[in-house]
Amino acid sequence: MLPTPAIAALREKFPLITELMALQPLSWFNPRIAPAAEGLKDVGLTADDVADASARLARFAPYLAKAFPETQAGGGVIESPVVPLPAMQAALGLASGMTSGQLWLKQDSHLPISGSIKARGGIYEVLKHAEMLALDAGLLKEGDDYSLLASDAVRAFFGQYAIAVGSTGNLGLSIGIMSARLGFRATVHMSADARQWKKDKLRSHGVTVVEYATDYSVAVEAGRKQAEGDPTCHFVDDENSHDLFLGYAVAGQRLKAQFAAAGVAVDEEHPLFVYLPCGVGGGPGGVAFGLKLAFGDFVHCVFVEPTHSPCMLLGVHTGLHEGISVQEIGIDNLTAADGLAVGRPSGFVGRAMQRLIDGYATVTDEELYRLLATLEQTQGLRLEPSAVAGFAGINPVLAAPQYRQHLDKATHLVWGTGGSMVPAQEMAAYVARGRALLAAGAA
């Protein structure tokens, strides 16, 4: 924690810090938001980079369909449905602010292989690394059917190499499962808040799990040090990886195609608001980048974080980015939203997206439980606490005067980031707690 005088100076310069320290839900809209054409220049990546990532995933589709039968129905493409939520919209009492608009859910909670948004960036980075090694070794050449990578000989080749990552859980699942299936020696360094079932699942796939009694940042640093000491080890850097970021960004054009097929217009009169749960920032940052490339100024992205882990809001609002953590201002970084339990944000994402993200909001753990129980009751959908955070960003947008002009024709999309692989008993406990909180509130 910073010395008291240093915190006092920060609070004087940035009054919002006082509100953050009170651990009450709040919202902040970005005064530095810029037109997409300008803000995209900050990223250092382009539409061509995203197209290259998309093409790589297409090359790997035959392999994925062979190695993971659950992807066969989609031709080896790792993608999730987008579904309307009329009953949830009514239950949340949003109809008055969304007269003709609709509430939708992007079900990254149901992505194949690892059941979370991390299946996008995490799996992509592993596949890109595998492709590079196989091409360099002459095991692949242009035009090959990538399903040949499923052979025992290729698995033995990849077994000479290692992949490591630090994770609160979901990224570790994606990296670990994909790496192990290809044949890599995989190690996931997991922070104290990671769920036991995620550790167990990784070990069942042959992944080495190293546990820490401390938070995400320590697990990441340990993974980085392991890779530095092993020339055969590739470290997946959740804080700074461009490959992770591009894997997430592919979602933008895919969503555009899904909305077009569903007859959902996104234009000046029909703006799109997307609400993304945020931890270190890589997943939501990459998705938001892809959305801005796909929809330009017609999409507005809002990041939502736990009140106990508002690291991206703190970093962007102060301009200090990775130079400040929530712990340094006395916030404990302890939250039921394990995927969002990050104290220090990605400096790369914070700077890259600082003129492209419209706003930030925070949400309490209790509200996350109420939201997941409401979603289960109204739509029969079960998401983990982290994954429903986006719902908490809607009301701040509805109340913001700058968005009122076309709000009645807007589409609101909550990005559901995980939950389909949560064990039934644990999910039942989540729902039961949420129902109890709803009942207490109604009493």
Side-chain angles (χ1 to χ4, degrees), residues 239-299:
E239 297 174 347
N240 300 297
S241 172
H242 288 191
D243 289 334
L244 281 179
F245 192 81
L246 289 169
Y248 297 123
V250 170
Q253 288 295 336
R254 292 182 178 182
L255 177 69
K256 188 172 186 176
Q258 287 179 313
F259 269 160
V264 176
V266 179
D267 53 36
E268 185 175 2
E269 292 190 3
H270 303 84
L272 171 62
F273 293 87
V274 181
Y275 307 92
L276 295 135
C278 181
V280 75
V287 168
F289 175 58
L291 292 171
K292 281 292 184 178
L293 287 172
F295 298 107
D297 294 326
F298 305 140
V299 64

Side-chain angles (χ1 to χ4, degrees), residues 69-430:
E70 63 267 36
T71 69
Q72 289 178 1
V77 176
I78 300 171
E79 195 44 74
S80 68
V82 58
V83 296
L85 300 178
M88 183 68 170
Q89 180 174 335
L92 294 177
L94 300 176
S96 61
M98 298 166 60
T99 308
S100 302
Q102 275 193 314
L103 177 63
W104 291 71
L105 176 71
K106 182 62 171 149
Q107 287 185 282
D108 273 11
S109 51
H110 290 67
L111 281 172
I113 301 178
S114 60
S116 83
I117 188 175
K118 302 299 186 179
R120 296 187 183 277
I123 288 175
Y124 173 74
E125 177 153 346
V126 173
L127 295 179
K128 183 178 180 183
H129 184 61
E131 181 184 56
M132 179 195 71
L133 291 174
L135 287 169
D136 287 349
L139 297 175
L140 270 182
K141 62 180 184 300
E142 186 176 349
D144 275 349
D145 179 345
Y146 276 33
S147 64
L148 64 84
L149 296 176
S151 71
D152 289 342
V154 175
R155 279 181 50 81
F157 167 75
F158 287 137
Q160 303 172 80
Y161 298 91
I163 292 179
V165 67
S167 174
T168 61
N170 285 341
L171 181 63
L173 280 178
S174 297
I175 298 294
I177 291 171
M178 189 71 253
S179 299
R181 187 63 57 90
L182 280 161
F184 289 103
R185 293 175 282 113
T187 302
V188 178
H189 299 262
M190 302 193 87
S191 51
D193 41 77
R195 296 288 187 257
Q196 186 61 46
W197 71 265
K198 295 179 182 180
K199 301 171 188 176
D200 295 340
K201 187 171 185 66
L202 281 167
R203 289 178 174 128
S204 75
H205 283 268
V207 177
T208 298
V209 176
V210 183
E211 301 182 50
Y212 297 85
T214 46
D215 76 356
Y216 165 85
S217 296
V218 174
V220 170
E221 189 56 35
R224 188 178 284 114
K225 286 182 178 178
Q226 176 198 350
E228 288 172 354
D230 181 357
T232 70
C233 185
H234 175 72
F235 176 63
V236 179
D237 188 344
D238 195 14
E239 297 174 347
N240 300 297
S241 172
H242 288 191
D243 289 334
L244 281 179
F245 192 81
L246 289 169
Y248 297 123
V250 170
Q253 288 295 336
R254 292 182 178 182
L255 177 69
K256 188 172 186 176
Q258 287 179 313
F259 269 160
V264 176
V266 179
D267 53 36
E268 185 175 2
E269 292 190 3
H270 303 84
L272 171 62
F273 293 87
V274 181
Y275 307 92
L276 295 135
C278 181
V280 75
V287 168
F289 175 58
L291 292 171
K292 281 292 184 178
L293 287 172
F295 298 107
D297 294 326
F298 305 140
V299 64
H300 306 275
C301 299
V302 176
F303 285 0
V304 185
E305 301 174 281
T307 55
H308 284 252
S309 305
C311 69
M312 186 60 71
L313 170 51
L314 177 64
V316 172
H317 179 66
T318 61
L320 296 172
H321 299 293
E322 78 279 22
I324 191 168
S325 71
V326 301
Q327 292 95 330
E328 288 171 325
I329 61 169
I331 299 177
D332 58 19
N333 191 36
L334 299 177
T335 172
D338 58 308
L340 311 182
V342 179
R344 190 180 301 276
S346 163
F348 157 58
V349 173
R351 291 182 180 87
M353 302 300 293
Q354 62 188 343
R355 295 197 292 161
L356 294 170
I357 305 305
D358 276 60
Y360 302 79
T362 63
V363 59
T364 65
D365 283 4
E366 291 76 16
E367 181 64 8
L368 292 177
Y369 283 114
R370 285 190 287 263
L371 287 166
L372 72 84
T374 303
L375 184 64
E376 194 269 343
Q377 288 176 336
T378 58
Q379 304 283 168
L381 296 170
R382 293 187 162 199
L383 273 63
E384 62 188 352
S386 299
V388 296
F391 288 102
I394 301 172
N395 276 327
V397 164
L398 297 182
Q402 63 266 41
Y403 300 122
R404 286 179 186 162
Q405 184 178 2
H406 297 302
L407 207 53
D408 61 329
K409 298 179 182 179
T411 297
H412 297 259
L413 177 68
V414 171
W415 212 278
T417 51
S420 63
M421 292 193 175
V422 174
Q425 185 174 0
E426 187 156 345
M427 181 60 77
Y430 290 157

Side-chain angles (χ1 to χ4, degrees), residues 19-45:
E19 297 181 59
L20 289 175
M21 292 173 66
L23 304 178
Q24 296 302 307
L26 57 85
S27 60
W28 175 71
F29 288 95
N30 186 1
R32 296 191 295 272
I33 193 73
E38 288 299 313
L40 286 167
K41 295 176 183 177
D42 298 340
V43 181
L45 298 167

